[in-house]
Amino acid sequence: SPDGPDFGRCSRKSTVAGGGTRSSQWWPCELNLAVLRQNSDKTNPFGGSFDYGAAFSKVNVAQLKKDITALQTTSQDWWPADFGNYGPFFIRLAWHNAGTYRSVDGRGGAGMGQQRFAPLNSWPDNANLDKARRLLWPIKQKYGSALSWADLFVFAGNTAMENMGFPTYGFGFGREDTYQSDEGIYWGAEQDMFPTDGNNVVRYNGSTDFTARASELESPLGAVSMGLIYVDPRGPNGTPDTKASALDIRETFGRMGMDDEETVALIAGGHAFGKTHGAESGDDVGPEPNAAPLEQQGLGWKNTFGTGNADDTYTSGLEVIWSRTPTKWANEFLFSLLNNNFTLVQSPGGAPQWEALDANASYPDPFIKGKFRKPTLLTSDLALRDDPIYNNISKTFLNDFDYFTEKFGLAWYKLLHRDMGPISRYLGPDLPKAAPLIWQDPLPSASGYSTLAASDISAIKQQILAAPGLNISNLVTTAWGSASTFRISDKRGGANGARIALQPQVSFAANNPTRLQTVLKALKGIQSKYASSGKTVSLADLIVLGGNAAIESAAKAAGVTLTVPFTAGRVDALQNQTDVSTFAFLEPQADGFRNYGKGTARSLTEEFLVDKAALLTLSPPELTVLVGGLRALNANFDGSSTGILTSRPGQLTNDWFVNLLGSYSTWAVVNGTNEERFQSVDPKSGKVQWTASRADLIFGSHPELRAITEVYAGSDAASKFTTDFVAAWAKVMDLDRYDVKGHLGAF
Ligand code: HEM
């Protein structure tokens, strides 16, 4: 490598077990396929077919609540509980697990128990939550595989809240643990974990003006800084500017999918409980868990100041108590916020915070009975007073405690469940009785549709293939456009619901709206014709059947008879069941499977391709066979010939693999395309033979993808290619079928 390897922070060079200078250090820009291999059966001690739903059904939830309740108020000497109650600590644990969620790519969130792994286990903002997790270990151990860490983290917070008098809206279990860090999450480009003092500009495109920068925050990030879940409690970059803090809060909470009212409800509701910890400057605190010595056994932030815990605890470096009743649900936080005069002061360690200097000392010390403190707040708390919109909402909440309670209940429920996907995945006795909420992407009941017999299915496929305006290319792209919106990160999208026929998806450029309308019109025609025979078939099923029929016909044209597996039972969502603004996030920037879009200044086209494949849970071979197969089927979004490396488009052949590897010496960049388009010139005739995109040529260039491409280009590969393509296609079509028993992740 021209620049030499990057050893990062580790100067020790192991000579065993994968030590030494690795390829990723020599060639740090090489396309990384690790995300396509994560969470494989090999990483999971239960293997791939673990049925968490079945395991969880053995949990006695009432007993679990009793166990958490007992733990909550049994202070442990090794980490004494403030006010004799771990409730607020568990709420922070739940919030920091869930609060990493961001709507743009659906990643983060509480759904996979990711706080057990780096970087989250060691983020500055998660300081001392290693203790909260360790406190819960006896409960996790007791319930074993029947209760995931992911569920326990958030359920502990939820139960704590109920125990402190807050009527929660409901709770759904069903978060299955993963066993490694999610490598697919882009946490930012900073080299420092928690850049302070004005250096925090990387994700703001260099902007240092925090009164104007909020909307500059790089997509898809959901926090103002590496190492934080959301915003700096001291104000932007540590500057105690309450109004500027509000701008950061609005942007980051907005990216979690929360509006202004939900945001105020969450902060004011959360800070009704507990306190912050900043007994000193932090100079006595040791390394975070991931850098801590072996003997600390996964715990970090060892504090040698005083006792190192209780009143000597250092967590955020801020020392604030929000309420007279920090272990009881009450409107104390908002009362204090709107009725006291706050002055900027310093915490014992020197961090900026606010104190009501002229108020009575009536807020209890967490450990010394009879000792009281004056009301205190964070800069980010005062944002709820000093931003005019937040101020109005805060006043409304203060004047109507029941309304505040209701809104906080709903926002807390959304926070904890936002990344769980369809409500068929929610388990346990505490599910709300009310109808699903709009952010849960509700679907109508399947009972309104006929059960399709095998004869119905083949009759429909024949009708589709015979319908005017429909062809292999547009049927395949429509089915792909419908199903491939799925993302495993928050389990949204997918073919069920036929939301491709609704806004905003019907207008996604990747779906080629004009061509899509032709297909939808024709399929709706078949739907009504079918209805006249007394049977109701969903448009969602018809879209998938259309793709399947096209593939079967393309295989036949190539001399292969096959049937694409089909799982009937999809339903059609209504427009008013579709959250247009957050579905907009499902629009791809680039979709190399359809040769749509291109890279950005930060990410290359092929990186978007791998990212999409990761969200579709595809392995490297599945990614490869799908791209090659879709090209054979002439399935570019715009019908163009880019990457259609076959002289017989529309036939399910392995031509793309053969021709890609066969014309290796002749590819050149097409001028003016910013290295997005390439052409191969026939050396004999001098004529352009093929054109291709980065999403094509990466398969000949990247060593691992090339190795797989070679398999499918082999002279013996035709049948393996069709079998693998059909399996990968059917997998994508069914990714969201959590309503089907036996589907991975369905309960
Ligand atoms: C504690 C900041 C939103 C619940 C804290 C601490 C900070 C903080 C600095 C103290 C950590 C420590 O030193 O121990 C913020 C900021 C927020 C925010 C900047 C957003 C602008 C929330 C939300 C919730 C919440 C949305 C829950 C709905 C809590 C609780 C504690 C806490 C319960 C007390 C933990 C304990 O007593 O140990 N927060 N927070 N916070 N936060 Fe927040």
Side-chain angles (χ1 to χ4, degrees):
S1 149
D3 300 315
D6 170 18
F7 288 104
R9 289 174 182 79
C10 184
S11 56
R12 175 183 45 75
K13 300 172 189 74
S14 170
T15 56
V16 293
T21 314
R22 316 298 300 167
S23 293
S24 58
Q25 291 162 320
W26 289 113
W27 297 283
C29 288
E30 189 189 39
L31 181 66
N32 186 350
L33 301 185
V35 287
L36 304 183
R37 300 192 188 98
Q38 65 179 8
N39 302 325
S40 71
D41 294 3
K42 273 195 163 188
T43 68
N44 186 338
F46 296 107
S49 54
F50 178 59
D51 184 345
Y52 179 53
F56 174 80
S57 65
K58 299 191 193 90
V59 173
N60 176 341
V61 175
Q63 182 58 45
L64 172 61
K65 275 189 199 178
K66 279 189 194 156
D67 294 339
I68 292 173
T69 306
L71 173 73
Q72 191 184 334
T73 46
T74 310
S75 185
Q76 309 289 322
D77 289 345
W78 65 271
W79 194 259
D82 299 333
F83 317 105
N85 193 323
Y86 292 116
F89 197 27
F90 291 159
I91 293 172
R92 177 169 162 248
L93 176 72
W95 148 235
H96 280 219
N97 268 279
T100 51
Y101 174 81
R102 66 247 188 141
S103 317
V104 175
D105 62 4
R107 290 187 166 114
M112 303 196 293
Q114 278 288 310
Q115 210 189 70
R116 287 137 65 228
F117 307 108
L120 294 178
N121 68 349
S122 294
W123 264 15
D125 219 4
N126 286 337
N128 288 334
L129 290 178
D130 52 343
K131 280 75 167 183
R133 296 192 295 274
R134 203 53 67 87
L135 283 165
L136 289 168
W137 166 241
I139 293 182
K140 170 64 184 136
Q141 185 177 33
K142 173 177 171 184
Y143 291 89
S145 58
L147 178 66
S148 67
W149 271 119
D151 271 343
L152 180 56
F153 291 151
V154 282
F155 188 61
N158 204 67
T159 306
M161 235 183 233
E162 287 176 356
N163 287 337
M164 294 190 290
F166 181 77
T168 62
Y169 183 75
F171 188 85
F173 293 85
R175 300 164 189 79
E176 192 173 335
D177 279 339
T178 49
Y179 291 86
Q180 66 175 115
S181 172
D182 185 346
E183 295 296 324
I185 305 189
Y186 172 67
W187 291 119
E190 293 92 342
Q191 302 271 320
D192 289 335
M193 181 48 88
F194 183 23
T196 50
D197 307 327
N199 293 326
N200 178 10
V201 296
V202 176
R203 61 185 60 198
Y204 286 101
N205 205 11
S207 171
T208 49
D209 179 0
F210 49 69
T211 60
R213 67 174 191 181
S215 58
E216 293 271 313
L217 179 58
E218 186 188 352
S219 182
L221 302 177
V224 299
S225 165
M226 181 70 84
L228 287 180
I229 307 286
Y230 30 89
V231 305
D232 191 328
R234 305 166 306 166
N237 293 3
T239 308
D241 180 331
T242 56
K243 285 191 174 154
S245 178
L247 301 178
D248 278 354
I249 294 173
R250 180 163 291 120
E251 189 63 37
T252 56
F253 275 68
R255 289 180 186 217
M256 283 180 224
M258 300 295 174
D259 65 20
D260 283 332
E261 191 175 55
E262 289 166 328
T263 302
V264 176
L266 282 171
I267 299 171
H271 289 179
F273 302 106
K275 72 180 287 285
T276 74
H277 302 84
E280 56 123 13
S281 65
D283 289 348
D284 302 297
V285 176
E288 66 277 12
N290 233 41
L294 239 60
E295 63 274 19
Q296 281 181 220
Q297 291 292 286
L299 293 180
W301 299 292
K302 194 172 173 180
N303 183 2
T304 53
F305 175 75
T307 58
N309 53 42
D311 260 340
D312 294 327
T313 302
Y314 178 95
T315 304
S316 59
L318 295 149
E319 185 62 34
V320 158
I321 299 185
W322 293 290
S323 162
R324 268 181 293 234
T325 57
T327 58
K328 191 174 154 248
W329 174 240
N331 221 348
E332 282 282 323
F333 170 90
L334 285 171
F335 182 85
S336 175
L337 178 82
L338 296 174
N339 289 295
N340 284 316
N341 289 320
F342 286 95
T343 305
L344 184 63
V345 297
Q346 288 191 338
S347 71
Q353 59 181 50
W354 301 76
E355 187 167 350
L357 294 175
D358 54 2
N360 288 333
S362 57
Y363 285 35
D365 186 275
F367 292 97
I368 306 168
K369 276 218 160 72
K371 190 176 168 195
F372 292 94
R373 304 188 190 178
K374 292 193 173 185
T376 33
L377 287 179
L378 307 170
T379 298
S380 54
D381 294 326
L382 278 171
L384 305 189
R385 183 195 68 184
D386 293 349
D387 175 87
I389 300 170
Y390 287 162
N391 180 280
N392 268 338
I393 299 168
S394 299
K395 279 187 186 147
T396 306
F397 283 166
L398 178 62
N399 293 333
D400 190 343
F401 186 51
D402 288 344
Y403 182 70
F404 173 36
T405 305
E406 182 196 330
K407 291 296 160 188
F408 179 44
L410 281 163
W412 175 252
Y413 179 72
K414 178 174 175 181
L415 175 75
L416 265 42
H417 298 82
R418 189 76 177 88
D419 63 340
M420 286 186 67
I423 49 168
S424 63
R425 297 193 69 253
Y426 291 29
L427 301 172
D430 293 337
L431 303 183
K433 304 265 176 303
L437 299 154
I438 186 73
W439 55 264
Q440 293 174 310
D441 303 340
L443 289 170
S445 151
S447 60
Y449 297 89
S450 312
T451 309
L452 297 181
S455 53
D456 294 317
I457 291 172
S458 65
I460 291 172
K461 284 196 285 199
Q462 273 171 23
Q463 283 183 42
I464 292 175
L465 290 174
L470 298 181
N471 56 45
I472 286 176
S473 176
N474 65 19
L475 284 168
V476 170
T477 43
T478 301
W480 178 264
S482 178
S484 71
T485 49
F486 178 81
R487 48 189 206 184
I488 189 68
S489 51
D490 60 358
K491 301 173 173 65
R492 299 187 75 199
N496 203 359
R499 286 193 162 97
I500 195 171
L502 305 174
Q503 290 299 350
Q505 281 183 49
V506 73
S507 304
F508 285 0
N511 288 336
N512 191 341
T514 318
R515 194 165 66 152
L516 174 62
Q517 286 300 351
T518 312
V519 177
L520 292 176
K521 201 172 154 214
L523 291 179
K524 281 178 185 167
I526 293 171
Q527 188 182 31
S528 21
K529 225 160 125 198
Y530 209 70
S532 61
S533 70
K535 290 190 176 178
T536 319
V537 57
S538 68
L539 182 63
D541 267 350
L542 282 174
I543 288 169
V544 173
L545 272 179
N548 291 2
I551 290 169
E552 288 165 14
S553 155
K556 200 166 165 199
V560 181
T561 305
L562 57 82
T563 306
V564 182
F566 174 71
T567 318
R570 293 174 186 81
V571 297
D572 296 337
L574 303 171
Q575 187 66 62
N576 67 12
Q577 293 173 318
T578 306
D579 185 359
V580 174
S581 63
T582 64
F583 262 105
F585 293 123
L586 273 53
E587 177 162 19
Q589 155 83 30
D591 178 1
F593 293 94
R594 285 179 280 179
N595 252 332
Y596 167 77
K598 54 183 176 10
T600 62
R602 285 269 175 98
S603 305
L604 298 171
T605 306
E606 57 270 31
E607 290 169 335
F608 280 110
L609 176 67
V610 168
D611 191 58
K612 184 150 190 69
L615 290 170
L616 293 172
T617 73
L618 300 177
S619 66
E622 286 169 335
L623 158 66
T624 309
V625 80
L626 274 169
V627 169
L630 286 166
R631 297 292 189 272
L633 295 170
N634 202 12
N636 281 346
F637 88 103
D638 58 353
S640 76
S641 60
T642 308
I644 309 294
L645 311 182
T646 174
S647 55
R648 36 186 182 161
Q651 296 187 25
L652 190 60
T653 67
N654 67 343
D655 286 0
W656 181 83
F657 302 92
V658 174
N659 289 324
L660 180 67
L661 301 187
S663 44
Y664 61 90
S665 60
T666 59
W667 288 108
V669 174
V670 176
N671 288 337
T673 65
N674 207 12
E675 297 182 25
E676 289 288 347
R677 287 287 178 272
F678 304 80
Q679 62 186 27
S680 134
V681 176
D682 185 333
K684 280 192 196 133
S685 67
K687 282 195 182 142
V688 173
Q689 202 175 10
W690 311 116
T691 58
S693 73
R694 301 189 69 87
D696 294 300
L697 293 199
I698 190 67
F699 291 89
S701 151
H702 187 279
E704 292 173 37
L705 292 177
R706 185 178 179 92
I708 300 167
T709 302
E710 284 167 358
V711 170
Y712 290 116
S715 61
D716 58 349
S719 137
K720 178 171 175 55
F721 158 69
T722 22
T723 310
D724 292 359
F725 174 76
V726 166
W729 167 271
K731 169 178 163 171
V732 173
M733 294 302 121
D734 283 353
L735 280 171
D736 62 343
R737 299 303 304 280
Y738 294 113
D739 56 313
V740 175
K741 239 192 140 32
H743 184 291
L744 207 60
F747 305 131

